[in-house]
Amino acid sequence: MTEVTKRLVETTDGLELAVYEQGPSDAPTVVLVHGYPDNHSVWDGVAKVLAERFHVVAYDVRGTGESGVPDSTAGYRLAQLSADFKAVIDAVSPDAPVHVAAHDWGSIQTWESVTDPALGSRIATYVSISGPDLGMATTWLRERTHLGSTLRQLAHSWYVFAFQLPLLPEAMVRSGLLARFVGGGSRPTKDQVNGVELYRANFLGKLLRPEPRPTKVPVLVIAPRGDDYVTVPLQTEAPRAYASSLVTQVIEGGHWVVATEPELVAGEIVAFIEKEDR
């Protein structure tokens, strides 16, 4: 069994992130970024497979697991989350670009880094699962050529608007209602409550000013066919105008496919890395 080590990495605003590493330290680095309402452990199955040949890094994003908690909603803005990602890769792979795979909100926040010209050279490949870039997604939703797909996605995203309200989401978490509607029943209540701030800090701004950015980083979008929250058309079509090297792959599975089908997901990640390394 691969040994997992833990270190703490300080962020630009003074919080500490819990970072977990396994696999050969001299191998290429793969960074795994989790979403809401998870912590790094959602990647355990995938990490175990990848660690046979890669230096695998997963971390608790701010507000979850063993990482620090911001004292305001502003602490969850995408720019800060991208700064957190940079702090992690600076610590674990200062001299070489990293491969990245991200899920749900982890994917949303990592698009911010992938499309940042200052960070593009630090990322060798990017695998996005169930988490589109908010600017790309908003622009796609505004297009009039696929009204049916847009309406289906909005129906899937009802909770995003509920999360903008004061007190209600926190009450839903503590009562167990949120777990019934959007999953997360086994996740710590603290992580579920803190994570609501991700939605409050970022969604309204992106709805008003999408401002999607391009990227030259090779991108693989893995779209689970049975995802209850992010439709296949949104995942696969929204980035087409912005990712110059884009591959899309529709797979069987639900939203938490990273936990339920770790070997499948790990295989897709490895195949994409190998393809881009040729």
Side-chain angles (χ1 to χ4, degrees):
M1 186 173 182
T2 306
E3 179 185 4
V4 180
T5 62
K6 173 185 173 183
R7 72 164 91 180
L8 296 177
V9 172
E10 187 171 351
T11 67
T12 56
D13 60 349
L15 295 184
E16 289 187 327
L17 302 177
V19 179
Y20 303 85
E21 301 173 71
Q22 58 184 297
S25 59
D26 58 347
T29 297
V30 178
V31 179
L32 305 173
V33 190
H34 72 84
Y36 175 83
D38 301 304
N39 57 42
H40 82 280
S41 66
V42 75
W43 287 107
D44 282 354
V46 173
K48 182 179 178 181
V49 177
L50 293 179
E52 295 175 4
R53 57 187 299 181
F54 295 101
H55 171 219
V56 182
V57 177
Y59 65 100
D60 292 330
V61 303
R62 53 179 48 221
T64 70
E66 300 299 318
S67 290
V69 180
D71 57 9
S72 69
T73 300
Y76 291 90
R77 288 177 181 157
L78 287 170
Q80 182 60 61
L81 297 171
S82 181
D84 290 355
F85 172 79
K86 182 178 184 300
V88 170
I89 65 173
D90 282 349
V92 302
S93 185
D95 301 318
V98 299
H99 302 280
V100 190
H103 174 249
D104 186 80
W105 251 102
S107 182
I108 292 172
Q109 71 181 65
T110 304
W111 276 107
E112 185 76 5
S113 300
V114 170
T115 59
D116 182 348
L119 282 175
S121 63
R122 304 292 310 280
I123 301 170
T125 62
Y126 177 46
V127 178
S128 168
I129 308 170
S130 297
D133 175 88
L134 292 184
M136 297 177 193
T138 299
T139 301
W140 181 83
L141 288 168
R142 289 178 176 180
E143 295 173 358
R144 299 180 180 180
T145 56
H146 45 71
L147 181 59
S149 294
T150 295
L151 293 175
R152 283 190 291 274
Q153 179 57 58
L154 291 174
H156 281 271
S157 302
W158 65 268
Y159 63 94
V160 171
F161 303 98
F163 280 6
Q164 307 304 315
L165 300 173
L167 304 178
L168 176 62
E170 289 84 350
M172 291 175 67
V173 168
R174 295 188 175 100
S175 69
L177 283 175
L178 186 67
R180 290 176 56 190
F181 288 115
V182 298
S186 62
R187 284 77 164 182
T189 299
K190 173 187 79 74
D191 293 359
Q192 295 183 53
V193 170
N194 291 340
V196 170
E197 300 293 357
L198 292 166
Y199 296 83
R200 291 173 174 156
N202 297 293
F203 265 94
L204 291 181
K206 287 294 184 179
L207 285 173
L208 295 173
R209 297 178 301 279
E211 299 176 348
R213 302 181 301 195
T215 181
K216 294 181 180 179
V217 174
V219 175
L220 168 64
V221 170
I222 297 177
R225 197 183 306 275
D227 197 316
D228 289 331
Y229 312 109
V230 192
T231 61
V232 169
L234 175 60
Q235 294 189 67
T236 58
E237 295 173 13
R240 288 195 186 280
Y242 307 99
S244 60
S245 180
L246 174 68
V247 177
T248 61
Q249 180 69 30
V250 180
I251 63 172
E252 298 302 323
H255 182 75
W256 274 280
V257 69
V258 297
T260 60
E261 301 289 345
E263 293 189 359
L264 172 61
V265 172
E268 294 286 353
I269 294 170
V270 171
F272 186 62
I273 292 173
E274 289 179 341
K275 170 181 172 291
E276 293 299 327
D277 279 349
R278 287 176 192 157

